[in-house]
Amino acid sequence: MARIIALANQKGGVGKTTTTMNLAASLATLEKKVLLIDADPQANASSGLGVDLAQVDCSIYNCLIDKVDAMEAIYTTDIEGLDIIPSHIDLVGAEIEMLQLKDREKVIKRLLQPLRSEYDYILIDCSPSLGLITVNALTAADSVIIPVQCEYFALEGISKLLNTIRIIKNSLNPDLEIEGFLLTMYDSRLRLANQIYNEVKTHFQELVFETVIQRNVKLSEAPSHGLPVILYDADSAGAKNHLALAKEIVKKHPEM
C-alpha cells in the first residue's frame, strides 16, 4: 500500500518542485516503485523529468475534471520504477470547475485509491497556493513535507500552512501527519542560513529532517536537460542530498 506524501508550501521559490522530482528519482534509485503527481499548473516537475508537454494528451487535469481513469494518465520516465501523472496549464482553471463537484475536496483521494496497491510511494507536487487542489492533495495524503528555504522570509507563511493542515486534520483527513520540515537552498558559509537552520530546529525539533538540501549549481541545471540530478550528475551535492533524504524517509517507514 503506497504512502502518499504531499510536498506543500504556499510560498513560491522554496525548492518544492526540485525536491519532489529529485526525491522521487532517489526513491526509485533505492528500488522503490514511485508515482509523482504533478498538481502544479506550471508543470515544472513534468518537464523536469523529461515529459514533452506538447505530446501529453492526458494529464491530471483530465482526471480531475473529465473523470478520466488515472491509469490512463500515467507516463514512464527515464528512471526505472518512476512514473508520473503530468500537469497541464488548464489546471489553472480547474479549481473553479471543481467547485460544483460533490465532495470536491476528496477528488484526488478517490483518484489515487486504485493506484495505492501499485506503488510504494506516491508524491504530490502541490502548487504554491492553499487553493482547492492543494487542499485535495493534503486530504489524499498520509503526510506532508514542508520545504523551507534558508532565507530571510523563510518562516513567513508557515503558520498559515500549519493552520490549513490543522483544519484539514480536523475536518477532512484526521490521519494527516507532518512528514518533516526540509531545509533547502542551504549555504553553510552564510551566517543567515545557519540562523534560519537553528530557528527552524528550535521551533519544530524532531520534525526537521536531518538532511538539508544545499545550494547546488547542478541541481539548478538538471531540469533544463529534462533529467533529475541523480542522472545529470550523480556525484553532485544535490544528488547526494536527495539520496540521503530518500534514505531517511525509507528508514522512517520500513514497512514500505
Side-chain angles (χ1 to χ4, degrees):
M1 212 46 173
R3 182 167 187 84
I4 301 177
I5 304 176
L7 285 92
N9 191 331
Q10 77 276 21
K11 194 174 185 305
V14 299
K16 179 180 50 58
T17 296
T18 302
T19 299
T20 310
M21 50 185 271
N22 287 299
L23 173 58
S26 297
L27 285 166
T29 304
L30 296 174
E31 299 185 347
K32 300 295 178 184
K33 198 138 173 36
V34 186
L35 175 66
L36 192 157
I37 311 288
D38 189 352
D40 184 344
Q42 294 172 88
N44 291 339
S46 304
S47 57
L49 286 175
V51 175
D52 182 351
L53 296 172
Q55 301 297 314
V56 169
D57 46 20
C58 191
S59 69
I60 188 71
Y61 172 82
N62 304 102
C63 299
L64 295 176
I65 304 303
D66 304 329
K67 297 188 172 61
V68 171
D69 187 330
M71 291 296 273
E72 290 179 39
I74 294 173
Y75 290 72
T76 56
T77 70
D78 288 340
I79 287 200
E80 194 183 339
L82 173 56
D83 295 339
I84 183 168
I85 295 183
S87 184
H88 193 279
I89 189 65
D90 287 350
L91 202 59
V92 169
E95 299 201 343
I96 293 164
E97 295 178 70
M98 286 165 74
L99 287 175
Q100 69 219 6
L101 298 179
K102 186 177 181 290
D103 282 341
R104 56 180 179 260
E105 301 88 357
K106 296 181 178 175
V107 182
I108 290 181
K109 184 175 183 156
R110 285 197 298 269
L111 198 68
L112 296 183
Q113 210 51 48
L115 301 179
R116 290 191 79 146
S117 57
E118 305 293 318
Y119 294 91
D120 298 310
Y121 290 92
I122 297 175
L123 303 187
I124 309 176
D125 184 29
C126 300
S127 65
S129 79
L130 292 178
L132 185 55
I133 289 177
T134 299
V135 168
N136 257 270
L138 293 172
T139 303
D142 298 305
S143 60
V144 54
I145 291 175
I146 302 169
V148 180
Q149 89 280 36
C150 292
E151 286 172 5
Y152 184 66
F153 293 114
L155 298 177
E156 203 181 66
I158 283 187
S159 59
K160 222 178 241 166
L161 176 59
L162 292 176
N163 194 40
T164 302
I165 290 169
R166 205 171 297 119
I167 291 166
I168 287 167
K169 260 181 89 78
N170 288 340
S171 55
L172 294 164
N173 183 4
D175 299 326
L176 181 64
E177 300 170 8
I178 292 176
E179 188 74 33
F181 290 85
L182 176 70
L183 286 143
T184 63
M185 304 180 195
Y186 179 72
D187 186 340
S188 58
R189 298 166 301 178
L190 299 178
R191 198 172 74 195
L192 178 65
N194 291 304
Q195 254 176 314
I196 300 289
Y197 178 83
N198 291 332
E199 213 173 316
V200 174
K201 265 290 201 196
T202 306
H203 263 78
F204 302 111
Q205 295 165 356
E206 73 283 349
L207 284 176
V208 182
F209 284 107
E210 290 296 322
T211 306
V212 294
I213 309 297
Q214 294 162 279
R215 274 198 183 280
N216 181 241
V217 174
K218 300 291 184 188
L219 198 52
S220 309
E221 288 174 358
S224 63
H225 296 269
L227 293 170
V229 71
I230 205 158
L231 285 189
Y232 182 64
D233 186 347
D235 289 326
S236 65
K240 288 173 181 170
N241 292 164
H242 283 96
L243 198 54
L245 176 64
K247 285 176 179 170
E248 201 175 330
I249 288 170
V250 168
K251 193 177 171 189
K252 208 172 165 186
H253 306 290
E255 74 285 356
M256 303 313 298

